[in-house]
């Protein structure tokens, strides 16, 4: 087989998965049924947790360079506009970066540009291009391979293509062929609402690209029938481009979505703002809310991710981000299994870990949707985004692949979306950053941080020796050397008071000069502890027993 993994779908989920697998040394093909890449903004909010993951993937500088801060406030106008100043409501409260969370605030980047950046990185670094006009039609799964049948349009003629691969991933959207042929359920609801959305240029300065107060909303607060018109600045340099959203039970959305003239006419009639002139329409389409998720994220050698596995209201800006996190959870497990280093049963934890997280996310975004769109007159609430939507609290506590020797209460309730933000640091949580770490390199002192140490291709064992000192380090290091060195590295973290030389037993020795590592991981300088950070930068194990705990954890990961 010339290709290890075939990915159907070239959105952020499929592209980030492709980049992760390529970095792990697997060969990948990416097919996309559309004849051209989508031109629209769509899901534009990149949450802080996703920014962290993109740092580990090596693309964060590119993301930051072409993105902008997310809008801070919403301007609420009455529809039709009565000429009074808008009511200003806070959408999200900006927060200062901290040593353990160096990226506290979301960024705004149109999905079209986001996808283009991912494609460019994949092509530049691995020579892989997305194959457009190629639609997956069916597949047959066998014990050691998958046969995929697709149709590629060449010129104007359909050409049948058959590909044999080791693994198939369906990142092919809400109407996923992969999901349907796997026989996965997609249960949920479809609220009765329809809207028109898209991107359009505004002529002049009646609406401006203001990153703080630029998002404008027109509503009819006393109308029993929900009605909303939204104009969000896209913050594309040199363009006065806005993403619009127009919805309401009495709107003829089919007519409005028919052409640009009907759209502009409806906007002027609803808002009363005929002073706002429009330029080029980039794209437009109908939107209907769907709130659904699969009962299982895969079977055998075939898996689903992103919208193929879960769809929901856009309220909260969680969807695209959740799809990227699907990919991070799956990629390292799939790579180890493919290389014969991990049991295939580890792939079952992809579904086991992501299912409760997505279920919690659906509940949260659905609640926001009903408050903002579905409530009766006088009960609808302003758009507001809480701290949990930054996704720092997402966790896999209590999972079958997680080992925690410090917090051992199996009956303690866990919120998959919020518990990781409860002030403790446990196995299953996001691994915190820690700056101001120093190490010697050719007799020169170098300053680094844990986020520069973590990698998407290896587990990282953070060894805090405590009062046990060299004996604990020797025991842990000897045990770690029993596992594949290409997929595991060890970091000795010495307290700032230490005068010890770098240990020859570990891959790296750092001194916690400001105490951030000990503080952010809630480790005292006298207690020996090992944190094993997975390639998706979640804590797989919190170990206090040394050798015994390491063997227990890695017995579930490596063969």
């Amino acid at each position: 087989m010339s290709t290890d993994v075939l990915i159907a779908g070239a959105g952020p989920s499929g592209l980030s998965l492709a980049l992760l697998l390529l970095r792990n040394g697997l060969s990948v093909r990416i097919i996309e049924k559309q004849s051209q890449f989508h031109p629209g903004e769509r899901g534009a909010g990149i949450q802080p947790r996703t920014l962290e993951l993109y740092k580990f993937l090596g693309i964060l500088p590119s993301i930051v360079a072409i993105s902008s801060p997310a809008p801070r406030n919403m301007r609420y106008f009455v529809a039709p506009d009565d000429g009074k100043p808008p009511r200003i409501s806070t959408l999200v409260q900006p927060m200062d970066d901290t040593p353990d969370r160096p990226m506290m605030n979301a960024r705004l980047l149109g999905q079209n540009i986001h996808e283009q950046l991912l494609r460019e990185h994949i092509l530049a670094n691995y020579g892989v291009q997305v194959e457009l006009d190629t639609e997956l039609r069916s597949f047959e799964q066998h014990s050691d391979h998958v046969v995929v049948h697709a149709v590629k349009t060449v010129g104007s003629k359909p050409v049948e293509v058959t590909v044999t691969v080791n693994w198939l991933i369906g990142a092919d959207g809400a109407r996923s062929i992969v999901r349907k042929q796997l026989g996965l359920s997609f249960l949920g609801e479809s609220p009765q609402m329809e809207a028109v959305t898209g991107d359009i240029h505004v002529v002049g300065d009646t609406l401006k690209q203001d990153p703080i107060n630029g998002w404008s909303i027109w509503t009819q607060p006393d109308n029993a029938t929900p009605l909303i018109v939204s104009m969000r600045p896209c913050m594309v340099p040199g363009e006065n481009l806005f993403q619009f959203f127009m919805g309401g039970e009495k709107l003829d959305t089919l007519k409005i979505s028919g052409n640009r003239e009907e759209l502009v006419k409806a906007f002027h009639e609803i808002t009363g703002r005929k002073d706002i002139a429009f330029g080029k329409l980039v794209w437009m389409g109908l939107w209907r809310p769907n709130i659904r998720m699969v009962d299982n994220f895969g079977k055998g050698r075939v898996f689903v991710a992103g919208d193929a596995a879960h769809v929901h209201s856009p309220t909260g800006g969680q969807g695209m981000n959740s799809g990227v996190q699907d990919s991070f959870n799956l990629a390292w497990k799939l790579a180890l299994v493919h290389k014969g280093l991990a049991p295939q049963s580890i792939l079952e934890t992809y579904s086991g870990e992501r299912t409760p997280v997505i279920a919690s996310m659906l509940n949260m975004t659905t609640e926001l949707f009903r408050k903002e769109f579905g409530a009766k007159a006088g009960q609808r609430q302003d758009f507001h985004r809480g701290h949990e939507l930054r996704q720092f609290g997402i966790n896999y506590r209590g999972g079958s692949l997680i080992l925690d020797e410090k917090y051992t209460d199996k009956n303690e309730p866990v919120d998959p979306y919020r518990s990781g933000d409860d002030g403790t640091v446990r196995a299953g949580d996001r691994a915190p950053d820690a700056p101001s770490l120093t190490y010697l390199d050719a007799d020169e002192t170098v300053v680094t941080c844990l986020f520069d140490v973590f990698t998407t291709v290896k587990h990282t064992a953070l060894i805090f020796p405590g009062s046990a000192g060299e004996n604990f380090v020797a025991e842990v290091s000897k045990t770690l050397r029993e596992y594949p060195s290409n997929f595991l590295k060890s970091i000795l973290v010495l307290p700032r008071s230490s005068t010890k030389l770098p240990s020859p037993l570990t891959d790296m020795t750092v001194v916690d000069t400001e105490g951030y590592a000990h503080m952010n991981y809630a480790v005292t300088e006298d207690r020996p502890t090992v944190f094993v950070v997975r390639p998706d930068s979640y804590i797989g194990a919190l170990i206090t027993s040394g050798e015994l705990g390491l063997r227990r954890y890695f017995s579930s990961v490596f063969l």
Side-chain angles (χ1 to χ4, degrees):
M1 284 170 280
S2 59
T3 302
D4 298 326
V5 184
L6 178 68
I7 300 174
S13 302
L15 292 171
S16 59
L17 178 61
L19 192 50
L20 285 161
L21 293 173
L22 289 163
R23 289 195 67 179
N24 274 277
L26 278 66
S27 60
V28 173
R29 285 182 69 175
I30 314 163
I31 62 173
E32 170 57 55
K33 68 179 181 180
Q34 302 299 331
S35 60
Q36 61 183 12
F37 299 116
H38 198 290
E41 284 263 312
R42 295 171 292 158
I46 305 181
Q47 298 295 345
R49 180 54 179 160
T50 305
L51 293 173
E52 293 181 347
L53 297 176
Y54 278 170
K55 176 175 176 59
F56 309 134
L57 195 51
I59 64 173
L60 181 64
S62 300
I63 291 285
V64 172
I66 60 175
S67 62
S68 65
R72 184 182 305 176
N73 299 323
M74 314 281 285
R75 302 191 305 164
Y76 283 89
F77 297 89
V78 173
D81 201 310
D82 57 6
K84 295 180 180 179
R87 177 172 54 83
I88 306 297
S89 177
T90 300
L91 173 67
V92 60
Q93 191 68 43
M95 301 182 70
D96 294 333
D97 296 339
T98 63
D100 64 326
R101 297 172 177 177
M103 288 163 278
M104 285 293 292
N105 300 295
R107 305 285 296 180
L108 192 70
L109 181 65
Q111 190 168 323
N112 53 332
I113 304 173
H114 185 172
E115 292 172 357
Q116 180 182 346
L117 184 149
L118 288 167
R119 292 195 304 270
E120 289 173 350
H121 272 269
I122 292 170
L123 178 60
N125 292 290
Y126 301 100
V128 176
Q129 286 186 306
V130 175
E131 302 172 40
L132 291 170
D133 257 334
T134 306
E135 182 178 4
L136 185 149
R137 293 289 179 86
S138 64
F139 61 86
E140 297 104 36
Q141 184 169 187
H142 303 271
S143 61
D144 60 351
H145 67 279
V146 182
V147 179
V148 179
H149 305 283
V151 172
K152 182 177 182 64
T153 302
V154 180
S156 58
K157 296 182 179 179
V159 177
E160 294 185 0
V161 179
T162 299
V163 182
T164 301
V165 295
N166 293 104
W167 311 92
L168 170 64
I169 312 297
D172 48 343
R175 296 182 176 87
S176 171
I177 295 296
V178 175
R179 183 191 68 240
K180 292 175 181 176
Q181 292 209 6
L182 268 184
L184 304 177
S185 68
F186 204 44
L187 301 178
E189 59 178 306
S190 299
Q192 293 300 308
M193 179 185 177
E194 190 170 83
V196 183
T197 187
D199 302 338
I200 194 168
H201 289 85
V202 173
V203 178
D205 60 359
T206 49
L207 290 178
K208 299 179 180 180
Q209 298 290 304
D210 181 350
I212 298 178
N213 296 314
W215 195 336
S216 300
I217 303 282
W218 286 266
T219 63
Q220 295 179 344
D222 298 326
N223 193 336
T225 302
L227 177 66
I228 183 171
V229 174
S230 165
M231 294 288 285
R232 177 186 62 76
C234 296
M235 304 305 297
V236 177
E239 298 186 40
N240 201 24
L241 182 66
F242 284 78
Q243 182 183 64
F244 63 85
F245 182 94
M246 188 181 300
E249 292 181 10
K250 294 184 179 180
L251 286 181
D252 189 343
T253 51
L254 188 61
K255 180 179 180 181
I256 293 171
S257 65
N259 57 64
R260 176 188 175 280
E261 288 69 28
E262 290 294 340
L263 170 69
V264 172
K265 179 182 177 182
F267 177 88
H268 287 156
E269 288 179 351
I270 294 170
T271 67
R273 290 292 302 274
K274 294 185 178 181
D275 59 312
I276 298 176
F278 293 96
K280 179 183 177 182
L281 174 69
V282 177
W283 81 281
M284 174 170 57
L286 285 174
W287 175 81
R288 300 178 181 89
N290 269 301
I291 303 165
R292 300 179 182 278
M293 67 176 291
V294 293
D295 56 337
N296 197 310
F297 279 61
K299 293 180 181 179
R301 292 180 167 268
V302 184
F303 301 89
V304 291
D307 285 356
H310 44 84
V311 293
H312 38 80
S313 159
T315 48
Q318 303 294 282
M320 180 275 295
N321 295 273
S322 297
V324 170
Q325 292 184 39
D326 290 344
S327 297
F328 270 79
N329 188 287
L330 174 62
W332 70 271
K333 299 171 182 176
L334 186 61
L336 288 180
V337 172
H338 179 75
K339 294 175 182 180
L341 296 170
Q344 192 161 342
S345 59
I346 198 176
L347 293 172
E348 297 173 5
T349 68
Y350 169 49
S351 183
E353 291 182 341
R354 294 304 293 164
T355 296
V357 171
I358 296 303
S360 182
M361 182 268 289
L362 286 179
N363 289 335
M364 183 167 49
T365 56
T366 302
E367 182 181 358
L368 286 171
F369 172 78
R370 287 171 176 159
K371 287 179 179 178
E372 295 164 2
F373 291 103
K376 297 179 180 178
Q379 297 177 341
R380 291 189 288 275
Q381 298 183 12
D382 291 351
F383 286 42
H384 178 71
R385 303 294 173 257
H387 181 77
E388 66 272 14
L389 299 182
R390 299 171 196 253
Q391 299 188 323
F392 292 123
I394 292 174
N395 66 95
Y396 305 127
R397 292 182 184 182
S400 62
L401 201 58
I402 301 299
L403 174 64
D404 197 319
E405 294 186 336
K406 183 177 180 180
Y407 298 95
T408 58
D409 184 0
K410 299 293 185 181
N411 297 318
E412 184 176 7
V414 175
D415 183 329
Y417 228 77
R418 298 177 178 87
S419 288
D421 209 16
D422 65 2
T424 62
V425 182
R426 309 191 186 195
D429 291 357
R430 157 197 172 272
D433 194 11
S436 302
L437 305 175
T438 61
Y439 66 95
L440 289 177
D441 184 14
D443 296 327
E444 291 188 10
T445 300
V446 180
V447 180
T448 189
C449 66
L450 286 182
F451 275 14
D452 285 339
V453 172
F454 296 155
T455 168
T456 60
V457 300
K458 293 183 178 183
H459 277 76
T460 303
L462 302 176
I463 306 169
F464 295 84
S467 58
E470 294 180 2
N471 291 335
F472 183 76
V473 175
E475 174 190 309
V476 167
S477 299
K478 179 182 178 182
T479 306
L480 291 174
R481 285 197 296 271
E482 297 176 9
Y483 301 100
S485 60
N486 289 340
F487 302 93
L488 173 63
K489 64 178 177 179
S490 55
I491 313 294
L492 175 61
V493 185
L494 297 175
R496 53 186 162 187
S497 59
S498 176
T499 58
K500 295 180 181 179
L501 295 174
S503 172
L505 302 176
T506 59
D507 296 314
M508 185 179 187
T509 299
V510 298
V511 178
D512 190 14
T513 60
E514 299 295 331
Y516 289 124
H518 285 77
M519 178 176 64
N520 295 349
Y521 281 78
V523 177
T524 59
E525 292 190 4
D526 63 342
R527 183 171 187 179
T529 307
V530 180
F531 289 86
V532 181
V533 179
R534 309 186 325 185
D536 59 358
S537 74
Y538 281 86
I539 300 170
L542 194 172
I543 294 168
T544 57
S545 65
E547 176 186 357
L548 179 61
L550 287 171
R551 293 189 188 282
R552 285 181 60 197
Y553 173 70
F554 283 116
S555 67
S556 299
V557 175
F558 294 120
L559 287 171

